[in-house]
PDB file of all heavy atoms in Angstrom:
ATOM      1  N   MET A 138     -14.275  46.615  20.380  1.00 94.00           N
ATOM      2  CA  MET A 138     -15.637  46.288  20.854  1.00 94.00           C
ATOM      3  C   MET A 138     -16.102  47.320  21.859  1.00 94.00           C
ATOM      4  O   MET A 138     -17.226  47.782  21.810  1.00 94.00           O
ATOM      5  CB  MET A 138     -15.737  44.925  21.372  1.00 94.00           C
ATOM      6  CG  MET A 138     -15.531  43.808  20.391  1.00 94.00           C
ATOM      7  SD  MET A 138     -15.210  42.133  21.103  1.00 94.00           S
ATOM      8  CE  MET A 138     -16.748  41.881  21.946  1.00 94.00           C
ATOM      9  N   LEU A 139     -15.154  47.776  22.755  1.00 93.00           N
ATOM     10  CA  LEU A 139     -15.512  48.743  23.778  1.00 93.00           C
ATOM     11  C   LEU A 139     -15.813  50.054  23.080  1.00 93.00           C
ATOM     12  O   LEU A 139     -16.757  50.801  23.477  1.00 93.00           O
ATOM     13  CB  LEU A 139     -14.382  48.877  24.754  1.00 93.00           C
ATOM     14  CG  LEU A 139     -14.606  49.891  25.882  1.00 93.00           C
ATOM     15  CD1 LEU A 139     -15.809  49.539  26.754  1.00 93.00           C
ATOM     16  CD2 LEU A 139     -13.338  49.961  26.784  1.00 93.00           C
ATOM     17  N   LEU A 147     -23.373  56.681  23.479  1.00 78.00           N
ATOM     18  CA  LEU A 147     -23.345  58.179  23.429  1.00 78.00           C
ATOM     19  C   LEU A 147     -24.220  58.685  22.332  1.00 78.00           C
ATOM     20  O   LEU A 147     -24.646  59.888  22.456  1.00 78.00           O
ATOM     21  CB  LEU A 147     -21.822  58.568  23.091  1.00 78.00           C
ATOM     22  CG  LEU A 147     -20.823  58.337  24.173  1.00 78.00           C
ATOM     23  CD1 LEU A 147     -19.418  58.734  23.623  1.00 78.00           C
ATOM     24  CD2 LEU A 147     -21.141  59.115  25.394  1.00 78.00           C
ATOM     25  N   GLN A 197       0.819  23.175  27.749  1.00 89.00           N
ATOM     26  CA  GLN A 197       0.650  21.808  27.208  1.00 89.00           C
ATOM     27  C   GLN A 197       0.599  21.789  25.697  1.00 89.00           C
ATOM     28  O   GLN A 197       0.618  20.685  25.100  1.00 89.00           O
ATOM     29  CB  GLN A 197      -0.623  21.169  27.767  1.00 89.00           C
ATOM     30  CG  GLN A 197      -0.640  21.040  29.333  1.00 89.00           C
ATOM     31  CD  GLN A 197      -1.903  20.407  29.776  1.00 89.00           C
ATOM     32  OE1 GLN A 197      -2.932  20.232  29.061  1.00 89.00           O
ATOM     33  NE2 GLN A 197      -1.927  20.004  31.050  1.00 89.00           N
ATOM     34  N   LEU A 294       5.464  12.243  19.398  1.00 89.00           N
ATOM     35  CA  LEU A 294       4.429  13.210  19.030  1.00 89.00           C
ATOM     36  C   LEU A 294       5.085  14.484  18.416  1.00 89.00           C
ATOM     37  O   LEU A 294       6.052  15.029  18.909  1.00 89.00           O
ATOM     38  CB  LEU A 294       3.621  13.690  20.264  1.00 89.00           C
ATOM     39  CG  LEU A 294       2.964  12.508  21.102  1.00 89.00           C
ATOM     40  CD1 LEU A 294       2.174  13.158  22.240  1.00 89.00           C
ATOM     41  CD2 LEU A 294       1.976  11.771  20.126  1.00 89.00           C
ATOM     42  N   LEU A 355       6.002   0.796  16.657  1.00 88.00           N
ATOM     43  CA  LEU A 355       5.798  -0.545  16.993  1.00 88.00           C
ATOM     44  C   LEU A 355       4.592  -1.129  16.181  1.00 88.00           C
ATOM     45  O   LEU A 355       4.626  -2.261  15.662  1.00 88.00           O
ATOM     46  CB  LEU A 355       5.524  -0.794  18.506  1.00 88.00           C
ATOM     47  CG  LEU A 355       6.715  -0.479  19.398  1.00 88.00           C
ATOM     48  CD1 LEU A 355       6.308  -0.686  20.866  1.00 88.00           C
ATOM     49  CD2 LEU A 355       7.922  -1.300  19.045  1.00 88.00           C
ATOM     50  N   ALA A 374      -5.840   7.629  10.715  1.00 90.00           N
ATOM     51  CA  ALA A 374      -4.851   6.632  11.108  1.00 90.00           C
ATOM     52  C   ALA A 374      -4.351   5.979   9.816  1.00 90.00           C
ATOM     53  O   ALA A 374      -5.184   5.347   9.043  1.00 90.00           O
ATOM     54  CB  ALA A 374      -5.499   5.601  12.064  1.00 90.00           C
ATOM     55  N   ILE A 385       9.299  13.773  -1.584  1.00 89.00           N
ATOM     56  CA  ILE A 385       8.875  15.129  -1.844  1.00 89.00           C
ATOM     57  C   ILE A 385       8.668  15.218  -3.392  1.00 89.00           C
ATOM     58  O   ILE A 385       9.650  15.090  -4.166  1.00 89.00           O
ATOM     59  CB  ILE A 385       9.953  16.123  -1.351  1.00 89.00           C
ATOM     60  CG1 ILE A 385      10.214  15.981   0.135  1.00 89.00           C
ATOM     61  CG2 ILE A 385       9.539  17.550  -1.686  1.00 89.00           C
ATOM     62  CD1 ILE A 385       8.955  16.316   0.974  1.00 89.00           C
ATOM     63  N   LEU A 411      -1.592  19.580   3.460  1.00 88.00           N
ATOM     64  CA  LEU A 411      -0.717  20.791   3.210  1.00 88.00           C
ATOM     65  C   LEU A 411      -0.513  21.541   4.500  1.00 88.00           C
ATOM     66  O   LEU A 411       0.507  22.118   4.688  1.00 88.00           O
ATOM     67  CB  LEU A 411      -1.377  21.649   2.165  1.00 88.00           C
ATOM     68  CG  LEU A 411      -1.451  21.071   0.746  1.00 88.00           C
ATOM     69  CD1 LEU A 411      -2.225  22.015  -0.143  1.00 88.00           C
ATOM     70  CD2 LEU A 411      -0.058  20.893   0.167  1.00 88.00           C
ATOM     71  N   GLU A 451      26.231  22.470   7.562  1.00 36.00           N
ATOM     72  CA  GLU A 451      26.573  23.594   6.690  1.00 36.00           C
ATOM     73  C   GLU A 451      26.397  23.308   5.212  1.00 36.00           C
ATOM     74  O   GLU A 451      25.882  24.055   4.406  1.00 36.00           O
ATOM     75  CB  GLU A 451      27.962  24.135   6.943  1.00 36.00           C
ATOM     76  CG  GLU A 451      28.166  24.749   8.309  1.00 36.00           C
ATOM     77  CD  GLU A 451      28.286  23.698   9.440  1.00 36.00           C
ATOM     78  OE1 GLU A 451      28.442  22.530   9.053  1.00 36.00           O
ATOM     79  OE2 GLU A 451      28.135  24.085  10.586  1.00 36.00           O
ATOM     80  N   HIS A 474      11.701   4.061   9.419  1.00 89.00           N
ATOM     81  CA  HIS A 474      12.741   3.482   8.512  1.00 89.00           C
ATOM     82  C   HIS A 474      12.345   3.632   7.042  1.00 89.00           C
ATOM     83  O   HIS A 474      12.362   2.623   6.303  1.00 89.00           O
ATOM     84  CB  HIS A 474      13.072   2.026   8.891  1.00 89.00           C
ATOM     85  CG  HIS A 474      13.476   1.881  10.294  1.00 89.00           C
ATOM     86  ND1 HIS A 474      14.712   2.284  10.817  1.00 89.00           N
ATOM     87  CD2 HIS A 474      12.761   1.289  11.410  1.00 89.00           C
ATOM     88  CE1 HIS A 474      14.737   1.982  12.170  1.00 89.00           C
ATOM     89  NE2 HIS A 474      13.584   1.438  12.546  1.00 89.00           N
ATOM     90  N   PHE A 504     -18.560  28.786  -4.196  1.00 96.00           N
ATOM     91  CA  PHE A 504     -19.562  28.943  -3.108  1.00 96.00           C
ATOM     92  C   PHE A 504     -19.433  30.319  -2.458  1.00 96.00           C
ATOM     93  O   PHE A 504     -20.408  31.026  -2.193  1.00 96.00           O
ATOM     94  CB  PHE A 504     -19.370  27.870  -2.038  1.00 96.00           C
ATOM     95  CG  PHE A 504     -20.144  26.636  -2.390  1.00 96.00           C
ATOM     96  CD1 PHE A 504     -19.513  25.545  -2.925  1.00 96.00           C
ATOM     97  CD2 PHE A 504     -21.504  26.524  -2.001  1.00 96.00           C
ATOM     98  CE1 PHE A 504     -20.284  24.363  -3.241  1.00 96.00           C
ATOM     99  CE2 PHE A 504     -22.218  25.373  -2.275  1.00 96.00           C
ATOM    100  CZ  PHE A 504     -21.588  24.266  -2.915  1.00 96.00           C
ATOM    101  N   TRP A 528     -27.802  33.099  12.106  1.00 93.00           N
ATOM    102  CA  TRP A 528     -26.294  33.225  11.980  1.00 93.00           C
ATOM    103  C   TRP A 528     -25.581  32.083  12.721  1.00 93.00           C
ATOM    104  O   TRP A 528     -24.689  31.539  12.164  1.00 93.00           O
ATOM    105  CB  TRP A 528     -25.905  34.590  12.650  1.00 93.00           C
ATOM    106  CG  TRP A 528     -24.445  34.950  12.495  1.00 93.00           C
ATOM    107  CD1 TRP A 528     -23.858  35.665  11.546  1.00 93.00           C
ATOM    108  CD2 TRP A 528     -23.393  34.619  13.423  1.00 93.00           C
ATOM    109  NE1 TRP A 528     -22.525  35.750  11.730  1.00 93.00           N
ATOM    110  CE2 TRP A 528     -22.217  35.111  12.898  1.00 93.00           C
ATOM    111  CE3 TRP A 528     -23.373  33.877  14.655  1.00 93.00           C
ATOM    112  CZ2 TRP A 528     -21.023  34.959  13.584  1.00 93.00           C
ATOM    113  CZ3 TRP A 528     -22.166  33.761  15.277  1.00 93.00           C
ATOM    114  CH2 TRP A 528     -20.972  34.268  14.736  1.00 93.00           C
TER     115      TRP A 528
END
Side-chain angles (χ1 to χ4, degrees):
M138 293 166 63
L139 181 60
L147 292 177
Q197 296 180 350
L294 302 180
L355 296 180
I385 301 295
L411 292 175
E451 291 77 14
H474 305 288
F504 271 97
W528 184 92

